[in-house]
Amino acid sequence: MYTIKHIPTLVAATVLLAAAFHAAAQGNPYCPGLKNPTNFNTFNAYSGASGEKIVQAPNPANPSAIGITFNATYNNTQLADALSNATSDNCAPGVPNPNKHFRIMAASEGTGYDKNVGGTLLPYVPNSTFTHSIRVGNCYTQKEAEALYYTMDVGFNNALLYLYFAPVIEAPGHGMAEDPTFIIRVAVQNPISQAWEYNVIHGDSSCYMIPSTNAQNNVNHWHQVGSGYNALFYRDWQMASLSLLDYIGQKIRIEVMIADCSQSGHYGYTYFAGNCSRMAITVNGCANGGTDTVALAAAPKGMNSYQWYRSKEGVITNTDLSNYILIPNANDSVLAVRSDDFISVTDQDTMQQNTFLCKLTTYMDPSKPLTSVITTTVNNMKPTIYVDSSFECNNVVTLVDRSKVIYNANDEINNVDTSQTTWQFFDSDWPAGAPAHTATGGTAQYQFGISGVHSAVIRTKTFATSPECWATDTVKIRSFSPVKPQIALSDQNICAGDSVQIVDRTPGAIYHRWVLMKNNVVTLDTVTATAVLTMRPYDTVTQVTLYSHNAVVFYNDTNLDGIEDAIYCIGRTDTVINVQQYPKIVITGDNVICKGQMTNVLASCSNVAGCTFAWYEVKGGQTVVADGPSLRISLDATHDKTFWVKATSPFGCVAWDSVTLMLVDPKLSVDKPSICVGDTVTLTASHAATYEWSCNPNDDASFWGQENNAVVVVSPKHSTTYTLVGKGSNGCGATELTQKITVYDYPIPTVGLTPGFIDSENPSVQFNDLSPNGTHSLWNFGNGETSTIRSVVHTFKNLDEDSILISLRSCNPLGCCNDTSFYVLVGNFSVWYPNAFTPRLESNNTFHVHTNNKLVDYELYIYNRRGALVFHSVDPAEGWDGTYEGKPCPQGSYVWISTFKRDDGSSRVLSRKGTVTLLR
């Protein structure tokens, strides 16, 4: 069964329906490509940029100071090219993918969820109305930054903007200046200079920052996966609904920015989606409704809060709240307008119509509410008829009432009472005379007597209104039935492997689908461009099924994507191809003999009864050597000789096979003469009737039981020599052959290193591969650097962690290897001196060294501007309090010099010097 959405008429309404449903699936046509884009190049609204995160915190007071610098820009075509470079998703931590700054994500891709967060925690799209989103950024930790821009002209049809976003950030918490950064905001274009102004109208550079202990990042909805250095933070899909009424006639730009940390240690990316609609109130209902509810007024969905007002004295044109009265408890997106709302405050009379105002509040920055007001006058609105049509190829048509009282593109409220829908089916293409069939309810089905164009009348009613609130329309429909396919074969009976031509003789056929089955298993299912199918080989009786149709077509939305597809009624027919098997020849008897020995070889058919045989010296020869299944002959020549046998089945299918009569001449081959312990080796004997094997030393348990095999598979534990003796059918033998298999032991990974740790002051370590049986080495020093030198000195550069994982692969001469890995501790050393202090404060009131290390032979000297020594100490814990000989020294700068040694046995004297400011 096929389905098409909303078809009031067969032709014109179909086109309107396809456009409307496509817009509903893709988003508002006044913001094309914002919802569910499948290619940046389809729309001219997108552009982008890439660059890097710098060590700078975004400044809310200056939104253009975002801590990101961009050095590459993309127009919509270049974005599409970037997308084409990202057809596979390599977003895995540490995987280089610098070209994949932007990627369109499909909800159906993979599991449909972010694989880094894991499981089903973060879907690719915000909800079921979305099929795609855009991922900005990637998992490459090179302080990359990306910006995606979407530009549109603001009008009444797109004055309500919906923004959806879900950022993913790795291990933040080092401060806003260095952390990964996420920013989403809306900017307005300067109408005079045509330059972009970054005085942001919605959002700013701090309201959607990363989670952090920093008090400036006052955000919610973050979740953590994992812990420590590689922890991931992600935010559930968030929606911000923004009113753009104040910017009607202007151009705005949505800016989505994401940046890695400025130290190239952590990455960040975000998913983004959006949509837009009219910023207006829509009204549904009938003014003459029989209940107290006159109508339902619906404001755009997705706002954070609503407040409804009614005018005091009827229809007004301004939005001054002094002209309106707040309606108690009306705080939802839909207002039930009642009879009391049409009573004048001053005159106490009933008004025929009234204006209602809704005050909407939404947030992009959680700390900054945005308010807008919109008004509407209540009007009567009958249902808008839409019909789903389903067709079957037996002239059956199913119609479904999908009529709606539409609020706007983002609302799903349907006030149509389909239980009272009535249907009238007519055989003609326009209602005339008595209907051929009638039905009641939301779904109606009828089977027409013949194929062709017909009509149906639908009458539908709005729910909870008086009987007068009806809508009626006529839809044209067409019924279909399939043609009867016809098959012609070039030959009904063939030998297995022969070709056969199959022809579709269906009158007017334009489609040919062939399905071939052998033993109830489909072996071919193909659609051909022409009516002729030539196939081979066949090896058994084959059933041929043909599906075919002519040019008669109807149109259905088969996959509910808003686009109509051409549908044909396909017929089916079957036939059988009888296949005779070619003979399968089996040759038995002695084929390895000694010179002058008589042999007897016998041929038979294993799959066909009643075969006849003839023997020849060459394939396809004319001179018969022997007639019948037996070949009895002696071999007096000095070399091997081949004879051919021809087998013919009773059906006439011919097969050939050969046998080579060989003189005893044993051969010995081996697949590899050298192995590592635990590997296997195959020794193969040939050119003899029987074989006798032995080994030296005779302790290879894997060899035992194979002494008479033609093929011997062994796994010796040490080097071993294997001996072969080959014999003919009469027991005659030949000279013995030998093969030595050399066995190598695996290396035992052993490592020596000097010193036994990484000194931050001298981070060089000598690594030695001491592995027994090892001859080749491969070192990996944990930072991507490797070495193949057995004894190597490596200098480490990145000492951010407390230990570094080192790995060694040691291999023997045959290339058999063993691996080992180990951590080498990093010993860090640091001292710090302040550049100012104030004696009168409770803290930072003395000048002294700050360190977590133990210092020995410590000395500190402090001099005033004249070079006089004012302080000296040999105790690291003792600090200068700003006095000399008990008297306060004047405020100003002082020079200090400090020397010390590390408490690790080193004799090296370290020194530090600088100036310090004494503040009073």
Side-chain angles (χ1 to χ4, degrees):
M1 181 177 291
Y2 305 98
T3 303
I4 182 168
K5 299 292 289 183
H6 306 165
I7 306 184
T9 62
L10 183 63
V11 179
T14 297
V15 177
L16 293 174
L17 165 66
F21 188 74
H22 182 77
Q26 299 297 325
N28 192 308
Y30 295 95
C31 51
L34 184 57
K35 183 174 184 181
N36 296 326
T38 57
N39 191 326
F40 290 111
N41 202 21
T42 306
F43 313 98
N44 291 321
Y46 283 103
S47 61
S50 63
E52 65 179 18
K53 171 70 183 289
I54 59 177
V55 184
Q56 176 182 341
N59 182 3
N62 181 12
S64 63
I66 57 176
I68 302 172
T69 178
F70 294 110
N71 51 33
T73 60
Y74 308 85
N75 59 31
N76 67 309
T77 300
Q78 293 166 330
L79 280 176
D81 291 340
L83 176 66
S84 68
N85 292 327
T87 54
S88 62
D89 187 7
N90 259 355
C91 192
V95 175
N97 52 2
N99 291 328
K100 301 178 182 179
H101 296 292
F102 313 94
R103 191 173 190 274
I104 292 178
M105 309 296 298
S108 60
E109 180 174 336
T111 63
Y113 292 85
D114 185 280
K115 62 185 179 184
N116 292 324
V117 172
T120 59
L121 299 177
L122 182 60
Y124 287 147
V125 295
N127 57 56
S128 60
T129 67
F130 286 79
T131 61
H132 294 78
S133 69
I134 299 174
R135 189 184 71 209
V136 183
N138 52 44
C139 306
Y140 194 40
T141 56
Q142 290 297 315
K143 62 180 179 181
E144 291 180 334
E146 293 87 4
L148 180 70
Y149 307 123
Y150 179 89
T151 306
M152 72 178 188
D153 296 311
V154 181
F156 289 99
N157 291 311
N158 60 6
L160 177 57
L161 186 64
Y162 296 89
L163 300 179
Y164 301 81
F165 48 90
V168 179
I169 291 173
E170 183 188 36
H174 305 304
M176 294 175 63
E178 296 184 4
D179 273 345
T181 302
F182 167 57
I183 300 168
I184 183 169
R185 62 192 191 184
V186 179
V188 64
Q189 188 180 32
N190 188 310
I192 299 176
S193 65
Q194 296 298 310
W196 283 103
E197 298 290 343
Y198 289 96
N199 295 324
V200 180
I201 61 175
H202 293 298
D204 60 33
S205 58
S206 64
C207 63
Y208 294 113
M209 291 292 294
I210 58 168
S212 172
T213 56
N214 193 319
Q216 297 182 56
N217 297 329
N218 183 20
V219 295
N220 299 311
H221 309 293
W222 288 95
H223 305 285
Q224 180 175 348
V225 176
S227 60
Y229 187 79
N230 294 320
L232 277 180
F233 291 81
Y234 73 96
R235 192 173 184 182
D236 294 329
W237 276 100
Q238 304 292 306
M239 184 189 77
S241 303
L242 309 177
S243 171
L244 302 176
L245 283 178
D246 294 337
Y247 306 95
I248 296 292
Q250 300 185 60
K251 188 183 295 291
I252 63 98
R253 183 170 75 175
I254 303 167
E255 304 176 350
V256 182
M257 305 180 191
I258 191 74
D260 302 339
C261 82
S262 61
Q263 302 303 309
S264 299
H266 302 94
Y267 61 82
Y269 57 90
T270 186
Y271 298 100
F272 169 74
N275 200 7
C276 66
S277 68
R278 289 177 60 87
M279 186 63 170
I281 299 174
T282 55
V283 179
N284 178 34
C286 295
N288 56 355
T291 66
D292 186 56
T293 300
V294 175
L296 296 178
K301 287 186 175 181
M303 301 300 176
N304 293 84
S305 65
Y306 300 82
Q307 285 182 312
W308 287 90
Y309 299 77
R310 65 177 178 88
S311 67
K312 296 178 180 178
E313 299 180 355
V315 178
I316 58 177
T317 58
N318 61 55
T319 57
D320 186 355
L321 288 182
S322 63
N323 295 320
Y324 292 85
I325 298 174
L326 179 66
I327 302 176
N329 302 318
N331 51 15
D332 199 355
S333 62
V334 178
L335 171 68
V337 180
R338 303 186 181 277
S339 300
D340 290 343
D341 296 323
F342 291 83
I343 304 299
S344 172
V345 174
T346 56
D347 298 333
Q348 295 299 310
D349 60 339
T350 301
M351 297 179 289
Q352 294 182 348
Q353 56 183 198
N354 201 354
T355 296
F356 295 84
L357 180 146
C358 185
K359 180 180 179 181
L360 310 100
T361 302
T362 185
Y363 295 84
M364 190 168 182
D365 182 336
S367 64
K368 301 175 182 178
L370 302 171
T371 61
S372 302
V373 294
I374 47 178
T375 63
T376 189
T377 300
V378 172
N379 291 309
N380 183 19
M381 184 177 180
K382 290 186 178 181
T384 300
I385 292 181
Y386 295 96
V387 176
D388 258 357
S389 299
S390 326
F391 308 99
E392 299 179 37
C393 285
N394 56 355
N395 294 323
V396 172
V397 177
T398 302
L399 302 181
V400 181
D401 185 3
R402 300 295 190 195
S403 303
K404 288 183 178 293
V405 181
I406 301 175
Y407 288 97
N408 60 52
N410 291 295
D411 286 324
E412 300 296 334
I413 298 175
N414 185 2
N415 287 336
V416 175
D417 185 3
T418 57
S419 66
Q420 299 192 44
T421 301
T422 62
W423 308 84
Q424 292 180 326
F425 290 86
F426 296 85
D427 289 330
S428 59
D429 62 355
W430 189 255
H437 178 70
T438 60
T440 301
T443 302
Q445 187 179 84
Y446 179 59
Q447 184 174 18
F448 292 95
I450 59 174
S451 302
V453 179
H454 316 282
S455 58
V457 176
I458 176 177
R459 186 170 185 257
T460 190
K461 176 181 178 295
T462 303
F463 184 78
T465 64
S466 63
E468 288 75 19
C469 197
W470 293 89
T472 302
D473 201 357
T474 299
V475 295
K476 288 189 178 182
I477 50 181
R478 186 173 183 177
S479 60
F480 302 88
S481 59
V483 297
K484 179 62 176 177
Q486 301 175 20
I487 295 178
L489 298 174
S490 61
D491 196 342
Q492 191 82 27
N493 301 291
I494 62 173
C495 293
D498 291 350
S499 63
V500 64
Q501 190 178 74
I502 314 171
V503 182
D504 182 359
R505 296 294 189 191
T506 307
I510 62 172
Y511 172 84
H512 324 278
R513 177 189 169 198
W514 303 96
V515 179
L516 276 58
M517 296 183 64
K518 295 187 296 185
N519 300 322
N520 295 322
V521 176
V522 175
T523 60
L524 177 69
D525 189 341
T526 184
V527 176
T528 60
T530 63
V532 180
L533 174 68
T534 301
M535 290 298 299
R536 75 181 187 89
Y538 291 85
D539 56 8
T540 186
V541 175
T542 301
Q543 176 179 315
V544 180
T545 299
L546 169 63
Y547 298 90
S548 186
H549 66 73
N550 55 23
V552 178
V553 63
F554 62 94
Y555 292 89
N556 266 353
D557 183 3
T558 57
N559 55 6
L560 301 182
D561 62 355
I563 301 175
E564 293 179 340
D565 304 305
I567 305 300
Y568 301 87
C569 284
I570 299 175
R572 167 180 172 167
T573 191
D574 301 277
T575 191
V576 172
I577 299 175
N578 297 309
V579 181
Q580 173 69 47
Q581 297 295 315
Y582 281 92
K584 293 183 179 178
I585 302 175
V586 178
I587 300 177
T588 58
D590 295 333
N591 68 326
V592 182
I593 58 177
C594 293
K595 183 177 181 181
Q597 181 183 0
M598 183 67 69
T599 185
N600 187 21
V601 178
L602 185 66
S604 62
C605 288
S606 63
N607 63 331
V608 179
C611 290
T612 59
F613 301 90
W615 293 86
Y616 303 85
E617 289 190 353
V618 294
K619 183 178 181 181
Q622 301 298 318
T623 303
V624 177
V625 177
D627 198 3
S630 177
L631 173 66
R632 182 173 175 79
I633 194 170
S634 64
L635 194 63
D636 295 327
T638 59
H639 54 81
D640 300 344
K641 189 170 184 179
T642 299
F643 294 89
W644 288 86
V645 61
K646 174 184 177 183
T648 305
S649 73
F651 190 67
C653 299
V654 175
W656 289 82
D657 202 355
S658 65
V659 62
T660 300
L661 302 182
M662 297 184 297
L663 294 173
V664 175
D665 184 17
K667 307 292 182 184
L668 172 60
S669 63
V670 61
D671 61 342
K672 46 184 178 290
S674 301
I675 62 173
C676 292
V677 173
D679 292 345
T680 60
V681 62
T682 301
L683 300 104
T684 303
S686 62
H687 284 74
T690 61
Y691 305 96
E692 296 178 359
W693 293 86
S694 61
C695 66
N696 182 29
N698 189 22
D699 60 354
D700 182 6
S702 67
F703 168 74
W704 299 340
Q706 304 184 73
E707 290 84 353
N708 299 114
N709 294 353
V711 178
V712 175
V713 180
V714 295
S715 179
K717 297 181 179 179
H718 48 75
S719 297
T720 303
T721 300
Y722 298 87
T723 302
L724 166 69
V725 176
K727 297 183 178 181
S729 302
N730 64 351
C732 59
T735 304
E736 66 181 20
L737 304 173
T738 61
Q739 176 66 51
K740 181 178 180 181
I741 305 301
T742 303
V743 180
Y744 289 87
D745 290 326
Y746 273 81
I748 302 173
T750 306
V751 176
L753 63 158
T754 304
F757 68 98
I758 302 171
D759 189 342
S760 63
E761 292 293 306
N762 182 22
S764 296
V765 179
Q766 180 170 338
F767 295 88
N768 300 303
D769 183 356
L770 306 177
S771 305
N773 307 319
T775 58
H776 300 82
S777 306
L778 175 61
W779 299 92
N780 190 318
F781 299 107
N783 55 0
E785 297 185 31
T786 61
S787 176
T788 57
I789 302 175
R790 300 277 290 170
S791 179
V792 59
V793 175
H794 181 74
T795 301
F796 293 88
K797 300 176 182 177
N798 185 359
L799 304 179
D800 291 342
E801 300 183 3
D802 56 3
S803 62
I804 297 177
L805 180 63
I806 309 298
S807 62
L808 167 66
R809 168 165 288 188
S810 186
C811 304
N812 64 18
L814 202 59
C816 299
C817 308
N818 266 332
D819 298 330
T820 187
S821 60
F822 53 93
Y823 282 92
V824 179
L825 296 178
V826 176
N828 287 313
F829 179 82
S830 65
V831 295
W832 174 78
Y833 296 83
N835 58 12
F837 71 101
T838 305
R840 59 184 173 79
L841 298 180
E842 294 184 2
S843 60
N844 193 31
N845 51 20
T846 62
F847 175 77
H848 61 279
V849 65
H850 296 262
T851 182
N852 291 325
N853 303 96
K854 186 175 180 180
L855 308 178
V856 297
D857 295 338
Y858 173 84
E859 286 193 82
L860 173 64
Y861 300 86
I862 300 177
Y863 302 89
N864 62 17
R865 293 182 178 178
R866 297 180 178 179
L869 180 67
V870 297
F871 179 78
H872 172 257
S873 175
V874 296
D875 183 0
E878 181 183 4
W880 181 42
D881 62 359
T883 64
Y884 177 67
E885 294 182 351
K887 296 180 180 180
C889 293
Q891 177 173 295
S893 295
Y894 293 80
V895 177
W896 58 270
I897 300 175
S898 177
T899 59
F900 49 84
K901 296 180 181 177
R902 293 171 54 178
D903 187 23
D904 56 3
S906 173
S907 60
R908 179 184 176 189
V909 177
L910 304 177
S911 66
R912 302 288 189 272
K913 63 182 178 179
T915 61
V916 61
T917 301
L918 172 62
L919 301 174
R920 293 293 184 181

